[in-house]
Amino acid sequence: MIKHFLSLSSFPQSDLLSLIHRAQFFFQNQHSPEKIHHLLKNRIFANVFYEPSTRTRCSFEIAAKRLGADIVNFVPEHSSVKKGETVYDTLKSLESLGVDGIIFRHADDHIVEQLQPFLKLPLVNAGAGKFEHPSQGLLDLLTLFQEFGKLEGLKVAVCGDVKHSRVAGSLMVAAKIFGMQIYLCGPETLLPEVTDSHVQKADFDTILPTVDAVMMLRIQLERHEDLDLDPKAYHHQFGMNHRRQLSMKKNAIILHPGPFNRGVEISDDMVEHSQSRIFKQMNNGVAARMAILELIINGRS
Ligand code: CP
């Protein structure tokens, strides 16, 4: 059976825990080619990104190369997409060319699930519209696990444009699987309807001193038709800054999936603050994606 990686909801807790442990192995051995370089030798992946990316696209490429695989970077702007080729025909073409797996990002929430039954090779969701970003979810879990040695019972505040965030989408799915509590903070118009008991809305300044981690989110301007945002006013009300960091527990951590807008959702001095794990998340992204590539090829985690 083809092993896809489309949503964290398709995995039981035990499988996700195995993936986290495997990602931790890769984190510890990422610079030991003699231990890992043979694992996906002679495999070829395709990075197919219909939306911009720095972290996800580059870390999948580095992950593949660290495991001995090769990767083709398909760029829609320089492809036959410009001649009218559909997404389906593009993916079927890459399949026919002989790639072993496709890493796929698109603005549509559900196209990845709709296309998957028609493909004979594994598909990785590298960010689907406002739906899920499961490889980001895995690296966020790895970062929390490294920090706290457990996931169950952790309290995480998520602040910002949650309604349009696939990062928050995957985190909320993972929270349900692992028994974490999520607090959604930000402008009411940017928060989704809440239906699950493990997710609740909260006032940012009230909840901040009680949480183990806070995930700051960018306002997804590309997914808004008209949003009148005053960056200074937004920062004052919902931004992570020195005043708010002082109210956090000493062992609580600051997360952000990136890219971040300094001075809007996070102040300049918080990005590399000692409680920030933002660049650690990026480093963990390579290890998490090594575990995902190995899983889709070998079924191992
Ligand atoms: N976190 C994340 O998905 O970043 P990129 O858009 O740069 O891949």
Side-chain angles (χ1 to χ4, degrees):
M1 204 172 79
I2 301 173
K3 198 95 178 163
H4 301 286
F5 193 81
L6 304 185
S7 161
L8 293 187
S9 64
S10 351
F11 296 90
Q13 189 191 93
S14 55
D15 284 6
L16 281 181
L17 215 43
S18 301
L19 264 178
I20 292 168
H21 286 301
R22 191 64 178 161
Q24 178 63 13
F25 167 82
F26 286 128
F27 175 79
Q28 286 162 340
N29 292 286
Q30 58 189 317
H31 302 298
S32 305
E34 71 285 359
K35 288 193 182 159
I36 62 173
H37 192 69
H38 60 285
L39 290 171
L40 294 182
K41 210 162 170 54
N42 299 325
R43 300 293 185 166
I44 302 176
F45 297 100
N47 259 338
V48 180
F49 280 58
Y50 283 83
E51 281 194 330
S53 168
T54 297
R55 279 146 289 272
T56 312
R57 190 178 60 76
C58 295
S59 56
F60 267 116
E61 182 165 353
I62 293 165
K65 288 179 174 171
R66 290 225 188 278
L67 294 175
D70 226 323
I71 195 147
V72 175
N73 278 301
F74 169 85
V75 182
E77 293 76 18
H78 301 145
S79 75
S80 289
V81 170
K82 294 303 251 185
K83 303 173 204 163
E85 193 156 51
T86 63
V87 175
Y88 174 78
D89 288 333
T90 299
L91 298 191
K92 286 302 283 185
S93 300
L94 288 165
E95 179 183 283
S96 306
L97 293 175
V99 300
D100 293 291
I102 292 179
I103 299 145
F104 181 70
R105 172 176 286 193
H106 200 281
D108 189 298
D109 288 11
H110 299 297
I111 193 170
V112 66
E113 287 172 321
Q114 288 158 0
L115 290 171
Q116 170 252 302
F118 303 102
L119 295 169
K120 297 192 196 80
L121 78 184
L123 203 53
V124 175
N125 171 7
K130 307 176 291 307
F131 169 56
E132 263 212 55
H133 190 350
S135 66
Q136 176 75 43
L138 184 64
L139 77 87
D140 291 335
L141 291 174
L142 175 63
T143 307
L144 289 166
F145 193 78
Q146 286 173 343
E147 196 71 34
F148 300 104
K150 62 165 193 171
L151 295 169
E152 190 181 354
L154 292 183
K155 295 178 177 178
V156 182
V158 182
C159 183
D161 187 2
V162 184
K163 197 188 238 175
H164 297 95
S165 173
R166 53 198 178 207
V167 173
S170 284
L171 185 63
M172 286 190 275
V173 167
K176 187 169 193 170
I177 294 170
F178 283 103
M180 294 153 60
Q181 189 65 35
I182 301 286
Y183 301 95
L184 304 184
C185 311
E188 182 58 34
T189 52
L190 300 184
L191 300 184
E193 289 292 309
V194 169
T195 49
D196 280 316
S197 59
H198 72 289
V199 181
Q200 61 192 82
K201 294 182 186 180
D203 175 75
F204 192 35
D205 285 313
T206 307
I207 208 68
L208 207 48
T210 73
V211 297
D212 302 296
V214 56
M215 173 77 82
M216 303 306 299
L217 296 176
R218 175 177 71 87
I219 304 290
Q220 307 252 319
L221 291 173
E222 69 275 30
R223 303 191 205 285
H224 290 268
E225 298 231 317
D226 45 32
L227 181 73
D228 193 15
L229 181 83
D230 173 354
K232 265 194 174 163
Y234 181 85
H235 182 76
H236 179 72
Q237 233 184 326
F238 300 110
M240 174 51 64
N241 52 33
H242 185 56
R243 174 176 68 82
R244 291 200 165 100
Q245 172 265 319
L246 285 177
S247 79
M248 293 170 65
K249 292 196 273 188
K250 290 286 165 272
N251 70 337
I253 57 172
I254 299 166
L255 304 171
H256 193 310
F260 34 80
N261 290 310
R262 293 176 188 248
V264 185
E265 75 274 12
I266 186 161
S267 64
D268 209 17
D269 57 337
M270 285 298 110
V271 172
E272 293 180 68
H273 187 271
S274 59
Q275 283 181 261
S276 165
R277 296 294 178 273
I278 294 175
F279 288 102
K280 184 81 185 328
Q281 284 173 278
M282 295 182 205
N283 185 223
N284 281 340
V286 176
R289 286 162 179 137
M290 283 196 238
I292 293 166
L293 292 179
E294 186 187 45
L295 173 77
I296 62 165
I297 294 300
N298 297 335
R300 172 177 181 171
S301 61

